[in-house]
Amino acid sequence: MSTLELHVDVGVPVDTAWETLHRVENYPRFMEGVRGARREAGGRAHLEVAAGGRDREVEAEVSDRGERVMEWLTTSAPELTGSFSLQPIDQNHTRIQARLEYDPDIVRDAFGGPKGFAQTNAIQRLVRSDLEHFKEYVERG
């Protein structure tokens, strides 16, 4: 398994960032490749994803752990786990730490794309881009 950790600082209070992150239906507005998203019963989320020239339906379990930590785990291929933890910097700024755990071979098989180091770089660029888009989205409010 590979682990990726990245963070972004956003110019909104921690409660605003937390509430925005929980609105699964808005994920297509800031997550590249997500064409549709909805929250389902029992803490589940359904995502329609286009990546590597393929369309996929991805199911995930989403849960809150501790103070301002959202964890997620895909329940359909590809197998991915991750979390978002939010930490207040001050009254109007929040740090969002994203963590993603994945098997590079499974991700490549599911979505296509390069192998090895090139794939790791591609995933890192995608997550960083999504965090920057989230920053723009939440700060526009």
Side-chain angles (χ1 to χ4, degrees), residues 11-12 15 29 38 42 51-53 55 62 64 67 70 86 89 93-94 101 103-104 106 113 119 128 132:
V12 298
D15 289 338
R29 296 179 182 198
R38 67 180 180 271
D55 291 336
V62 180
D64 293 341
E67 179 120 356
M70 173 196 276
L86 282 67
I89 296 171
H93 296 88
T94 303
E101 295 180 18
D103 180 322
I106 291 174
Q119 180 185 35
R128 177 153 314 282
E132 289 299 325

Side-chain angles (χ1 to χ4, degrees), residues 11-78:
V12 298
V14 69
D15 289 338
T16 300
W18 183 249
E19 290 169 18
T20 303
L21 192 59
H22 277 76
R23 289 190 207 117
V24 173
E25 65 277 5
N26 289 331
Y27 284 11
R29 296 179 182 198
F30 56 84
M31 293 182 74
E32 187 173 330
V34 176
R35 303 288 182 241
R38 67 180 180 271
R39 185 170 290 280
E40 297 184 339
R44 292 176 127 12
H46 177 87
L47 304 175
E48 298 166 18
V49 180
R54 301 178 186 174
D55 291 336
R56 296 194 72 90
E57 306 270 326
V58 177
E59 301 288 332
E61 291 180 358
V62 180
S63 59
D64 293 341
R65 298 278 185 241
E67 179 120 356
R68 295 186 182 104
V69 176
M70 173 196 276
E71 293 182 337
W72 54 270
L73 164 69
T74 56
T75 57
S76 60

